[in-house]
């Protein structure tokens, strides 16, 4: 997720007290910060991105680049691996498991594929995947908190493989989730797919946000405006910037463009805050959220999803 702007910084130590979903009268856990273990190591045989030591990515390109057939082929391969790993990590989620255990499992899957876990030390991020639960919008750092019955968890997996990046995210309701949790998750998934299906050459990129915005509004959900989709290739985040809310921003889509679509829909208002770790973004009203993400390429006749996952 590329950051457009950030809200205020909050200091929070541990997962906090439960909150009540007023639409369905079910309680859920409001998540804060819990202890984080050490970063995991990567075998010396893995090809490393430029930021692996200092955490600083290279400057992004000033324009949208059109990918070659070779680049698209490598992005497709990286995307398929990323989607397969995401599905496997999601299948591991159950009540009682910690998000740190999910990180360990995801990390091992990534390096076994000969890939580098792209979040690791990206601008100092300490873990290999992102796990965002309930009121956490995105960039949740895996920690010692255990998954609880009814939690909504978003898992974002991204890798660096053969010189390019793969990136995708999914959300699932764990155990006996309430009606609102399931609706929020389904609408987020459906709006992501609808936005992808609206993409084709000659269409303005704003079709993404306009499509998602209409579906979110009809369902009674808000859209997080601070985090946006992004171009991707041999760089992790670049142009174009993909807004997930109604807008009139370009550019016109052209064959060979590769970018992510990754809306975050929110149960309550659209304001966010950043916790004291500098990464964990939460809803200001402690309401829950869901996110889905795919990487796509614009083809001569439409689009192709490069990161297929459930």
């Amino acid at each position: 997720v590329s950051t457009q702007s950030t809200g205020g910084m909050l200091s929070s130590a541990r997962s906090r007290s439960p909150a009540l979903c007023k639409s369905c009268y079910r309680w859920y856990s409001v998540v804060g910060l819990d202890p984080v273990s050490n970063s995991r190591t990567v075998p010396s045989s893995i090809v490393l991105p430029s930021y692996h030591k200092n955490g600083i990515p290279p400057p992004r390109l000033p324009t949208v680049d059109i990918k070659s057939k070779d680049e698209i082929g490598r992005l497709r391969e990286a995307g398929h691996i990323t989607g397969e790993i995401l599905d496997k990590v999601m299948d591991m989620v159950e009540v009682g498991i910690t998000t740190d255990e999910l990180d360990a499992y995801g990390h091992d899957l990534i390096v076994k594929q000969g890939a580098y876990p792209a979040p690791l030390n990206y601008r100092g991020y300490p873990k290999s995947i992102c796990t965002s639960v309930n009121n956490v919008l995105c960039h949740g750092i895996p920690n010692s908190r255990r998954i609880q019955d009814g939690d909504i968890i978003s898992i974002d997996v991204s890798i660096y493989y053969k010189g390019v990046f793969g990136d995708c995210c999914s959300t699932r309701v764990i155990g006996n989730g309430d009606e609102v949790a399931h609706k929020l998750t389904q609408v987020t998934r459906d709006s992501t797919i609808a936005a992808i299906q609206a993409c084709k050459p000659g269409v303005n990129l704003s079709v993404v946000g306009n499509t998602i915005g209409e579906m979110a509004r009809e369902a009674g959900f808000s859209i997080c405006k601070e985090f946006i989709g992004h171009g991707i290739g041999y760089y992790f985040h670049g142009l174009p910037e993909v807004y997930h809310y109604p807008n009139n921003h370009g550019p016109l889509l052209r064959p060979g463009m590769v970018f992510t679509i990754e809306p975050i829909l929110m149960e309550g208002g659209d304001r966010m805050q950043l916790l004291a770790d500098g990464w964990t973004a939460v809803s200001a009203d402690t309401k829950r959220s869901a996110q889905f993400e795919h990487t796509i390429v614009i083809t001569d006749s439409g689009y192709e999803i490069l990161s297929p996952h459930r």
Side-chain angles (χ1 to χ4, degrees):
V1 183
S2 182
T3 307
Q4 186 169 229
S5 63
T6 58
M9 184 80 76
L10 287 179
S11 176
S12 180
R14 296 297 297 263
S15 294
R16 293 170 279 174
S17 57
L20 178 66
C21 172
K22 294 182 179 179
S23 300
C24 57
Y25 299 100
R26 289 280 299 272
W27 293 93
Y28 63 90
S29 173
V30 177
V31 176
L33 301 181
D34 286 272
V36 176
S37 65
N38 293 332
S39 300
R40 295 185 161 83
T41 59
V42 175
S44 59
S45 59
I46 301 294
V47 176
L48 305 172
S50 62
Y51 58 79
H52 77 279
K53 281 188 176 181
N54 62 15
I56 303 173
R60 73 179 187 179
L61 294 174
T63 59
V64 178
D65 62 323
I66 300 300
K67 305 297 192 295
S68 67
K69 289 184 178 180
D70 173 71
E71 289 173 310
I72 293 171
R74 285 184 286 129
L75 284 161
R76 182 182 295 112
E77 189 175 0
H80 279 247
I81 291 171
T82 308
E84 290 170 3
I85 291 172
L86 174 60
D87 284 341
K88 289 179 180 179
V89 176
M90 267 296 184
D91 287 343
M92 283 289 292
V93 183
E94 62 182 5
V95 174
I97 196 170
T98 68
T99 51
D100 188 60
E101 290 172 311
L102 296 175
D103 182 77
Y105 181 62
H107 178 92
D108 288 345
L109 290 174
I110 292 168
V111 298
K112 284 178 181 177
Q113 288 285 348
Y116 180 89
L120 187 60
N121 204 37
Y122 182 84
R123 301 190 186 277
Y125 187 83
K127 288 295 182 178
S128 298
I129 65 173
C130 297
T131 53
S132 304
V133 179
N134 292 342
N135 57 298
V136 179
L137 302 172
C138 61
H139 300 162
I141 298 174
N143 57 36
S144 62
R145 182 189 181 277
R146 297 189 181 278
I147 296 298
Q148 300 178 18
D149 186 50
D151 278 350
I152 302 175
I153 182 170
S154 299
I155 297 178
D156 192 313
V157 174
S158 46
I159 68 170
Y160 181 69
Y161 182 76
K162 292 188 177 180
V164 297
F165 288 87
D167 194 2
C168 59
C169 176
S170 184
T171 298
R172 185 173 297 180
V173 181
I174 307 304
N176 299 300
D178 59 72
E179 181 180 345
V180 174
H182 286 287
K183 179 182 178 182
L184 176 62
T185 302
Q186 190 62 51
V187 172
T188 308
R189 180 195 297 272
D190 291 347
S191 65
T192 304
I193 296 302
I196 292 171
Q197 292 173 339
C199 291
K200 60 183 179 180
V203 171
N204 197 294
L205 180 59
S206 60
V207 71
V208 171
N210 296 335
T211 300
I212 294 167
E214 181 177 358
M215 294 181 68
R217 180 184 56 79
E218 290 178 351
F221 298 129
S222 301
I223 301 169
C224 179
K225 296 181 174 65
E226 279 76 14
F227 298 99
I228 59 180
H230 53 88
I232 190 170
Y234 68 83
Y235 48 85
F236 199 174
H237 299 103
L239 295 175
E241 294 183 336
V242 183
Y243 303 103
H244 301 116
Y245 51 88
N247 69 90
N248 58 4
H249 295 288
L252 294 179
L253 299 180
R254 292 185 291 158
M257 284 184 175
V258 178
F259 53 87
T260 69
I261 297 176
E262 46 184 308
I264 302 170
L265 268 57
M266 305 171 70
E267 179 184 6
D270 64 1
R271 290 182 57 245
M272 63 144 283
Q273 293 174 305
L274 199 63
L275 296 188
D277 61 5
W279 281 102
T280 305
V282 299
S283 59
D285 57 10
T286 72
K287 297 293 181 65
R288 297 169 294 180
S289 64
Q291 182 180 28
F292 282 87
E293 176 187 12
H294 279 293
T295 299
I296 72 167
V297 58
I298 302 302
T299 65
D300 290 337
S301 58
Y303 67 90
E304 177 189 346
I305 293 176
L306 299 178
S307 57
H309 60 80
R310 295 197 297 271

